[in-house]
């Protein structure tokens, strides 16, 4: 059984690799009860969330994680807090911070994103 | 019954007002199972967390909240994500981002901080 830190690390690597290479693949990480608050805009359910993420107006994006913290959360979940930098279409680097609350899917070792909160952080 | 957004807004105001005026008073917001990850350092339990917060090496601090997002979380909790600025001893302004997961205390309308993750965000 992996520790919350190991699961968090693997999830974060998987999430941003998928985001940067195949955004449409992110849909499988969310379920109907999933919530995304993206720059203050609220979305619920994997279909709405995927539509938002795939509709973001850029061709390419590259995320770089600077810090990652994880804690166990209720429901055998894992709360993950990431700060980092992203570069959109080869332009300026922007700072971001993002929170994920993973919950078990029911499949052994499986997790989905219940809570996702994203903000750019302006310096 | 207040909405998660209303509770989050009231909590955030209360938390940073207390932090900036009477740090010792923050202890009552945490319980034995509470976790704080502060700039990567892990603390657990209200006594350890309070010791860390009151021992931070500055005389005065002022927090300013720029964004606040909230979502319901498992266990009838509220996940809160804050970005903002803080000024220590009247010096330079620093950016921060902080996550709180509130859980019900059992007293009607009462919440405590189960998860707390804090990071300065460098521009």
């Amino acid at each position: 059984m992996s520790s919350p830190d190991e699961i968090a690390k693997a999830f974060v690597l998987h999430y941003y690799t998928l985001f940067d290479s195949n955004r449409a693949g992110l849909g499988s990480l969310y379920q109907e009860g999933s919530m995304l608050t993206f720059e203050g805009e609220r979305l619920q359910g994997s279909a709405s969330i995927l539509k938002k993420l795939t509709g973001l107006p850029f061709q390419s994006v590259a995320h770089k994680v600077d810090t990652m913290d994880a804690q166990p959360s209720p429901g055998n979940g894992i709360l993950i807090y990431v700060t980092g930098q992203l570069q959109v279409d080869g332009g300026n680097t922007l700072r971001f911070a993002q929170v994920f609350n993973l919950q078990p899917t029911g499949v052994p070792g499986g997790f989905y994103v219940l809570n996702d909160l994203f903000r750019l952080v302006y310096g």
Side-chain angles (χ1 to χ4, degrees), chain A residues 66-122:
Chain A
D66 288 329
T67 68
M68 196 211 71
D69 299 308
Q71 292 180 358
S73 70
N76 293 314
I78 303 172
L79 191 58
I80 304 174
Y81 173 35
V82 174
T83 72
Q85 303 166 51
L86 60 84
Q87 197 179 25
V88 165
D89 290 335
N92 290 342
T93 297
L94 304 169
R95 299 266 158 186
F96 74 95
Q98 188 161 13
V99 182
F100 301 99
N101 185 21
L102 305 187
Q103 290 285 307
T105 55
V107 176
F111 286 88
Y112 74 99
V113 179
L114 175 64
N115 304 99
D116 180 353
L117 303 104
F118 175 92
R119 283 277 178 185
L120 293 172
V121 181
Y122 297 98

Side-chain angles (χ1 to χ4, degrees), chain A residues 56-75:
Chain A
L56 290 171
F58 45 75
Q59 294 301 311
S60 74
V61 59
H63 289 79
K64 181 181 167 292
V65 171
D66 288 329
T67 68
M68 196 211 71
D69 299 308
Q71 292 180 358
S73 70

Side-chain angles (χ1 to χ4, degrees), chain A residues 20 28 40 63:
Chain A
D20 295 352
S28 63
H63 289 79

